[in-house]
Amino acid sequence: MLSNRSIPDALVMPVLGYRDVAEAVAWLCGAFGLTERMRIADHRAQLNVGPNAAIIVAQSDVTPPVSAGARSRGPFAVMVRVTDAHAHYERALAHGAAIDGPPVDYPFGERQYSAIDLGGHAWTFTQTIADIAPESFGAQLLNP
């Protein structure tokens, strides 16, 4: 695959719509620790999500409604791996993210919490806490 400085190297890049791109970028960087890669006028931005992932923030007059609980979400969500779910949760909470509660440890080896951003988009942040065999919780690994 060719490299292009105009686009992140990530293979998958969700595009999330917000009414105000600058406000969304500032909030996402502050609350979730993303970093801005590129701004395209006032209608689009590319954000780094860690070292090898990205999202696109695009101007849109249609955004999902902000729900009362972080688990009340639309048909999609963004999941991001973090190194410390508790520290990430505290940062998001300090920036006013709508959050159900603190991170929860799950039997599949992940510690997770979910949040709704200022545009109504659902995010789940996950920290690996153990290497668990998928078969131990009823899953089947098909293509390792």
Side-chain angles (χ1 to χ4, degrees):
M1 188 176 308
L2 291 176
S3 182
N4 178 358
R5 290 171 287 153
S6 297
I7 192 165
D9 286 333
L11 293 178
V12 176
M13 292 167 275
V15 177
L16 303 178
Y18 296 87
R19 293 187 192 282
D20 185 323
V21 168
E23 178 186 34
V25 167
W27 194 90
L28 292 166
C29 291
F32 295 159
L34 309 185
T35 58
E36 188 170 8
R37 180 183 184 279
M38 184 185 330
R39 182 77 58 104
I40 304 164
D42 62 352
H43 69 279
R44 202 167 185 86
Q46 298 173 359
L47 301 181
N48 296 311
V49 184
N52 59 2
I55 67 160
I56 307 301
V57 173
Q59 196 283 322
S60 173
D61 290 333
V62 179
T63 56
V66 177
S67 61
R71 299 255 183 235
S72 301
R73 62 180 83 175
F76 69 92
V78 178
M79 182 177 284
V80 177
R81 293 183 78 183
V82 296
T83 57
D84 184 340
H86 287 292
H88 197 278
Y89 161 81
E90 292 295 335
R91 178 182 185 150
L93 196 59
H95 281 82
I99 300 173
D100 280 347
V104 174
D105 292 355
Y106 289 98
F108 48 86
E110 296 295 307
R111 176 175 293 140
Q112 300 178 341
Y113 82 94
S114 295
I116 302 293
D117 71 17
L118 77 167
H121 303 289
W123 295 71
T124 296
F125 297 94
T126 187
Q127 172 189 355
T128 299
I129 55 175
D131 180 18
I132 305 296
E135 297 76 18
S136 71
F137 58 90
Q140 183 180 12
L141 187 60
L142 301 173
N143 292 301

